[in-house]
Amino acid sequence: MFQALVSPPRSEGTTDDLDRRRFVESAAVTEGQSLSTKAFWEWFDLRRAAVQMDVRLIPLAGLRQWGFQPGTGNLVHESGRFFSVEGLRTRLGGAEPRGWDQPIIHQPEIGFLGILVKEIDGVLHCLMQAKAEPGNAKGLQLSPTVQATRSNYTGVHRGSAVRYLEYFSGPKQGRVLVDVLQSEHGSWFYRKRNRNMVVEVTDDVPQHEDYCWLTLGQVRRLLQEEDLVNMDTRTVLACIPLDEAADVIDVGDDPFRAGLAASLSPQAPSAHTLPELLRWYTAIKTGTELSTERIPLDAISGWATEPDGIRHDSGRDFSVVAVSVEAGNREVRRWTQPLLRTCAEGVIAFLARRIGSVVHVLVRAGVEPGCRDAVELGPTVQFLPGSDGSPLTAERPPFLDEVLAATPEQIRYDVTQSEEGGRFYRVLSRYMVVEIEHDVSLPDGYRWMTVGQLGTLLQHSHYINIQARSLIACLQSVW
Amino acid sequence: MFQALVSPPRSEGTTDDLDRRRFVESAAVTEGQSLSTKAFWEWFDLRRAAVQMDVRLIPLAGLRQWGFQPGTGNLVHESGRFFSVEGLRTRLGGAEPRGWDQPIIHQPEIGFLGILVKEIDGVLHCLMQAKAEPGNAKGLQLSPTVQATRSNYTGVHRGSAVRYLEYFSGPKQGRVLVDVLQSEHGSWFYRKRNRNMVVEVTDDVPQHEDYCWLTLGQVRRLLQEEDLVNMDTRTVLACIPLDEAADVIDVGDDPFRAGLAASLSPQAPSAHTLPELLRWYTAIKTGTELSTERIPLDAISGWATEPDGIRHDSGRDFSVVAVSVEAGNREVRRWTQPLLRTCAEGVIAFLARRIGSVVHVLVRAGVEPGCRDAVELGPTVQFLPGSDGSPLTAERPPFLDEVLAATPEQIRYDVTQSEEGGRFYRVLSRYMVVEIEHDVSLPDGYRWMTVGQLGTLLQHSHYINIQARSLIACLQSVW
C-alpha cells in the first residue's frame, strides 16, 4: 500500500510516469507486433463483409417499442430505459440575454468506454473492436474494447453480456491506468457522461473475431482515415496521459512536429501556467449566467413534429429522426430507434501555433446547456449546426473563415470524422488542425494551451468537451 | 503574455512557485508588521464594543418580508432573491436503497469570498474584517475582506456597496492569486458555491475601521481561538497553495510538526499518487446511485411545521427557525430572517498519521445530496446532525469513537468552530486533528492523502467539501 514511499519523488519515476512512457513508446510503434497494418486491413475487410446492418430512415410513426409519452410528449422506450428525448429551455443572461427551447437527449446513466491494453513483445497494444452502429455513415468503425451503457450491461437489450466488461469492473479487473468521467455533447445531451477507462491485463485474453490488438501508433495512424476510428475511441485516447515524445517519435526536421512532441509533456514551457488558466476559467464560469429547465417535449416552442422528424422551424440545426435497423447474419435482430441528425457537415478545428518551440492550440471556453457546469473548453472552432447551444444563432464563429482559408502548408490535419453512431445519424464533421505563424488577437474566452496542459486537465472531469477531446486524439496522430 | 517561456520550466520557479513561497513566509510570521497580536486584540475588543447586534429567536409567523409561497409552501423573500427554503427528495440506490425528504436552502448564485493581500515590509498581509452575523454564537468574527452574495453586491439590501469589492472584480482588480469555485454544505444547500479568491494589491488601500492587516501566521494562530475565524475565512485560507515549509516554519524537534510542514508540498512522497487517488474517486462516483428532486417544501414527508420552526419528526437533525435582528449603533437596521439550526454540537475530525516522515490525513469520500456531483471528499469524521445527508440515520460513523477517545498526546488540534452565521444559527462543531501511530483498516471510501495533494485538488472545484477545507485551514495552524 505504501510502496511509493520508498521510490523517488513522484515527478521522477513512479508507476504513473513509467506508464506515460510506455504509452508514448506504443504510440511510436506504427507496425503492430500482433497484427501488421496490412493484416489489419484484411481483418477489417473480412469483418465488414461478415457484419450486416441495414438501416433505413422511417417515419416517426413507424417506431416500435418507442412512443410519445402521454402528458409530456417525451419520446421514450417502453421499458423506461435507454434514453429519452425531452425538452430543454435555456436562458442565457448577461449583456444580451437570450433564450431558446430545444429537444435534448436524456440518459441519466454513466456508461463505460474502455480500452483493454496488454504488452505484446514489450509494447502496449490496445484491444480494438470492429463495431457497427445504426448512425454510422460507412458501417463498421473501430471502437473501444467496451462501449456500454448501463442498459447494455444490465441486460435490457436481452442480449448477451457485454464482452470483456469483466476486466473493467468487478473481481477480474486489471490494473487501471485511466479512469475519468467525461461529458458528451452538451448541446444534445442533458448532463450525459461516460467513464473513460484504460485497463491493463497481463494474463491471456480470449480474442473474439470482432476484436484485434493494435499499438497506439497503429490506432493513431488510422485516425488519418476518414470516419474509421469512432468517437468513443477518440475520447478514451485523449485521456491517456503522455510524456514528452521528442526522443521516441520520429519528428524528422519539421519544427511543428518537434514542437508537438514537446508539447505533450505537462512540464513543457507554456504561454500561461496551469493555475493562471484555471483562474481565467473560474472567472468565465462565474460570469456565465445560464439557467436551464427540463420541460416536456411537447412544450418546446420553435419546433414542429412532422411525420419524418422533429425539426426546428428554421429548417436549420438538427432534427430528431427515426430509423429501422436489421442487423446480424446468422441470427438477425430488428429494431427501431430515434436518432439525432444534423443538416450539414460541421467544422471542428484547432488553430495551432509554436510559441517558443512548443506547439500551443487555441482553446475556447464555450457554453453548452447540457453541460453539468455550463462551460467547458472546446476547440478554436466548433461549427456544427446547433452545436453552440443555440438553434437561434447562425453567426459564423470567430476563426472559422481563417480555418477554411488555410493553405495546404498550414493544414496539419484535415479528416472527416463522425460523432457517436448509437445516438447520431451520420453526424460528420471536418476535423482540422491549422498552423498559424503569426499572433492573433483573441476575443474573450480564448487561450493558448499546450497539449500537456490539456492532458493534465483531462485527468479531471468536465474541463474539456467531447469535440476538443476528439481533436486532441487526432492531433496526436500528426507525427 | 509569453513571459513564462523565457523562465525555467514551471516546476522550478514561476510566478506561482514564488507566490507559494511568499504565502509560506507570511504563514511563518506570527507577529504582524502592521499590527502586533496584542494590538489586534485591542482593536478587536473595540470593534466588539462598537458593533451592536441583538438577535432573538422568534416564531415563524413573526417573519417580515419572508413568507410561505402559496402553492409550494417554500419559504421565500418577497423580492424573490437572497435564498429560499425548499424541499429536496433524495434516493440512494445500491445494495441498501434508501431515501428521505428534507428542507434545503436554495440560492442559485455564486457569491464572493475574497481576501485582499498586500506586502507590508516584504511580508504578505491579509485584510481581515470584524463582522457580525445573526447566527454567530459570540457576535463578532474574523471574516474575509469581502463576503458577498450577488444579492449583496447588486444592492437588494438597499445597503451601501460592498466595501473593497472593486479589487476583486472589474477594472480595479488586483493580481489574482487564488480564484476557484468551491461548494458549501451539501447537506443543507442545493448546489451552492462561492468564488474563493485571494487578490494582491500594491497600491495604498484605504483602511476602514472594521478591517485590519494581519499576516497569514497571525490569522492561523487565531484559528487556535474558539469560534473567532469564520467559516468563509477558513475556506479561502484552505485554497491558498503552499510550498513545503520545513525550512521556514519553526517545527522544533516534533516529528509530527516537521512531517506536517513537509506534507504541504504537492511533491511530498505520498501513500498514493494523485492519479491513483483520482481513479479511486472516479470509481466511487460511478458506483454512487444518487437521485435528487427539488420538491415543494410543503410536500416533504417526515417533517412538521410548528410555530417555532420546521423540524424532523424524530426531533433530531436540524430545524429551520426564524430570528429578528437589530444591528448597528448610530443607524439601526432591523430585519427578520430564517436560519438553519442544529440540535447538537458536531465533530469534524481528521485522523493524521506519519507515513514515511510525511503527515497524511484520512479522507472520506461522502455523499451529500446538495453536491453538484453527489460525492466530495470530506474529513475522516463528519458527525454533524443531519450532515451525512440523511436525517434517517443516527449511526455513529467509523472512527468517531477513536477520535473521541484520543489521549491528550494524540490531540493536535481541538477547537470549537462555527459554520456560516448568515445562514446557520449557532451551528458549532468540535474541529479536531488526532494523530495515530498505528495503521488502521480502512472501510470503503477512505484514503490517506498528504496536505499537498489536497492542496492540488483545491485548485479545482468540487473535490474537497467545506468541512474538510475548514479543517485543512485549522491543520495548518498546528505549528
Side-chain angles (χ1 to χ4, degrees), chain A residues 176-220:
Chain A
V176 179
L177 304 181
V178 171
D179 191 357
V180 60
L181 301 176
Q182 298 290 5
S183 63
E184 284 206 15
H185 302 79
S187 298
W188 298 328
F189 278 109
Y190 184 75
R191 301 192 176 172
K192 172 87 172 83
R193 55 190 183 167
N194 288 310
R195 190 173 174 185
N196 288 241
M197 293 185 85
V198 177
V199 166
E200 182 179 10
V201 286
T202 48
D203 293 345
D204 281 348
V205 174
Q207 187 178 344
H208 181 271
E209 60 184 354
D210 285 337
Y211 297 76
C212 74
W213 292 104
L214 298 175
T215 65
L216 267 183
Q218 286 179 296
V219 179
R220 288 183 195 282

Side-chain angles (χ1 to χ4, degrees), chain B residues 192-357:
Chain B
K192 172 87 172 79
R193 57 190 180 165
N194 288 309
R195 190 171 175 187
N196 288 242
M197 294 185 85
V198 177
V199 166
E200 183 179 8
V201 286
T202 48
D203 293 342
D204 280 349
V205 173
Q207 189 179 344
H208 180 269
E209 60 184 356
D210 286 339
Y211 297 75
C212 73
W213 292 103
L214 297 176
T215 66
L216 268 183
Q218 286 179 297
V219 179
R220 287 184 196 282
R221 185 152 283 186
L222 293 172
L223 278 163
Q224 298 285 343
E225 301 288 327
E226 280 210 349
D227 191 14
L228 174 67
V229 177
N230 85 350
M231 186 202 84
D232 300 309
T233 301
R234 297 197 304 273
T235 172
V236 178
L237 290 180
C239 295
I240 292 178
L242 295 175
D243 212 338
E244 181 168 356
D247 57 333
V248 175
I249 304 273
D250 174 23
V251 296
D253 55 0
D254 181 346
F256 183 85
R257 286 162 70 182
L260 186 55
S263 184
L264 294 183
S265 166
Q267 274 79 43
S270 52
H272 309 282
T273 65
L274 196 64
E276 282 166 6
L277 292 166
L278 292 177
R279 297 191 288 260
W280 161 78
Y281 184 57
T282 299
I284 286 182
K285 280 214 244 186
T286 307
T288 301
E289 296 174 36
L290 174 78
S291 68
T292 57
E293 185 189 355
R294 283 168 61 200
I295 59 175
L297 184 60
D298 60 15
I300 62 174
S301 65
W303 296 74
T305 302
E306 293 169 10
D308 59 345
I310 303 168
R311 52 175 48 87
H312 193 247
D313 293 345
S314 70
R316 287 188 289 105
D317 308 313
F318 64 90
S319 55
V320 179
V321 298
V323 293
S324 73
V325 186
E326 250 189 57
N329 34 15
R330 274 157 294 185
E331 188 190 346
V332 176
R333 290 169 59 224
R334 290 186 185 81
W335 73 91
T336 63
Q337 71 167 88
L339 287 173
L340 198 146
R341 180 186 195 180
T342 53
C343 307
E345 194 173 294
V347 176
I348 309 284
F350 272 138
L351 285 186
R353 180 167 166 250
R354 281 182 302 131
I355 299 176
S357 56

Side-chain angles (χ1 to χ4, degrees), chain A residues 387-403:
Chain A
S387 77
D388 68 346
S390 160
L392 304 178
T393 52
E395 293 157 21
R396 294 175 77 77
F399 304 114
L400 175 61
D401 294 327
E402 180 139 16
V403 162

